[in-house]
Amino acid sequence: MAKPGTEHGPDALREGGLIKKLMGLGLDVHDYGDVGTPSHEDDHHFDLPVKNPKHVATASENIAADVYNVIKSGRTCLALGGDHSMAIGSIFGHSLAEPEHVVVWVDAHADINTPLTSSSGNMHGMPLSFLVKELQPYISKLPGFEFIKPCLSAKNIAYIGLRDVDPGERYIIEKLGIQSFSMSEVDRHGIKDVVEKAMHYLDPEGVKPIHLSFDIDALDPSLAPSTGTPVPGGLSIREGNYICEELAATGRLTCVDIAEVNPSLGNERDNLITVNSALSIITHCFGGRRQGTYPKNYQIPIPTHTNHVAPPPS
């Protein structure tokens, strides 16, 4: 069931001090504001297996244009959701700017249902299916989606943190050979080995741009209670931050999605915990390090030398 409120996620993160925290890392931050998402009164299609396709299509097209422009300007893009259907636009826009990019998808869910494998019709469970080239024969024609061109090969995706995967999604992952590290693999191998294996699989030469799509429900619900589809047994904040630190350290992380922060769910304490977790994830994508950090061009202050007159003898 769809749960409204994720549209307020970006403002919750801003109000939580996002801009100040990023500027504190010495970054040149520009907030481009919210993406326009016009509503469509005629967006109820009982003959289609999806909900609100025109609304999602319009938002995706606008997101894609903005992400493309940010990356082509030489900046790193941070896209704040919103539910995870935002990734249709952010990944497509990234592909237009950097066609060779790879995607690290950190999430409790695979979000690769096709319109016909989905049991809910919620498009936040389908974004990757519209983008993966190998799935196009299985994708229904939807109004407004004509602009989307498949831009990802299955070999260019790696999942981390999965623990709630629908049957159709599991079949797709295995049929296409998508690299997938569920929480079972995280528990078995540790987050260090998982990240190393994922990146070696995606980019053994270490040259491709990276797109990180991070659903806050990848974290354990104790760390992100204000989200629509929490699943117990998730990543710790240490594991989440480690993923981000390692991707940032490559110097090739050029787009980051943060999805599914929903301040309409839970109480004030739940909201604060979720926002703080999301802010921690974001800052570790942009240079924050647990061993400490300092702004670019930081220098140790040098004391000013003045002449001191000795006091007269008593």
Side-chain angles (χ1 to χ4, degrees), residues 112-255:
I112 200 169
N113 269 306
T114 71
L116 296 179
T117 66
S118 172
S119 61
S120 69
N122 291 326
M123 296 194 71
H124 62 80
M126 307 179 196
L128 281 170
S129 72
F130 296 106
L131 302 169
V132 173
K133 297 174 183 177
E134 294 89 338
L135 281 179
Q136 294 320 294
Y138 309 98
I139 300 301
S140 310
K141 292 187 181 300
L142 302 178
F145 273 73
E146 296 80 9
F147 81 98
I148 286 285
K149 302 295 186 292
C151 58
L152 277 179
S153 295
K155 66 181 180 181
N156 291 331
I157 304 166
Y159 286 113
I160 299 177
L162 297 182
R163 57 193 185 277
D164 185 10
V165 179
D166 293 340
E169 293 179 306
R170 186 70 245 169
Y171 181 83
I172 288 168
I173 289 169
E174 294 185 9
K175 177 180 174 65
L176 301 185
I178 298 174
Q179 190 77 339
S180 169
F181 298 94
S182 71
M183 286 307 299
S184 295
E185 282 75 39
V186 173
D187 290 342
R188 185 177 301 118
H189 303 295
I191 196 64
K192 176 179 180 292
D193 282 354
V194 163
V195 174
E196 287 179 355
K197 289 176 180 177
M199 291 313 300
H200 180 74
Y201 171 83
L202 290 174
D203 185 20
E205 303 299 323
V207 296
K208 294 181 179 180
I210 301 168
H211 187 115
L212 171 62
S213 203
F214 200 114
D215 189 319
I216 201 66
D217 72 23
L219 299 178
D220 190 77
S222 63
L223 300 166
S226 293
T227 192
T229 50
V231 185
L235 296 169
S236 69
I237 196 68
R238 290 170 61 185
E239 291 166 331
N241 285 341
Y242 182 84
I243 294 168
C244 299
E245 287 174 345
E246 290 299 296
L247 298 186
T250 67
R252 304 191 309 280
L253 183 58
T254 49
C255 190

Side-chain angles (χ1 to χ4, degrees), residues 35-51:
V35 177
T37 54
S39 60
H40 295 270
E41 294 182 2
D42 60 340
D43 206 13
H44 300 285
H45 305 272
F46 298 105
D47 57 329
L48 295 174
V50 298
K51 299 174 182 175

Side-chain angles (χ1 to χ4, degrees), residues 282-297:
I282 292 169
T283 54
H284 285 85
C285 288
F286 290 90
R289 300 180 303 172
R290 285 170 289 174
Q291 62 264 47
T293 188
Y294 49 84
K296 186 178 180 181
N297 300 324

Side-chain angles (χ1 to χ4, degrees), residues 81 183 228 262 265:
M183 286 307 299
N262 190 338
L265 298 176

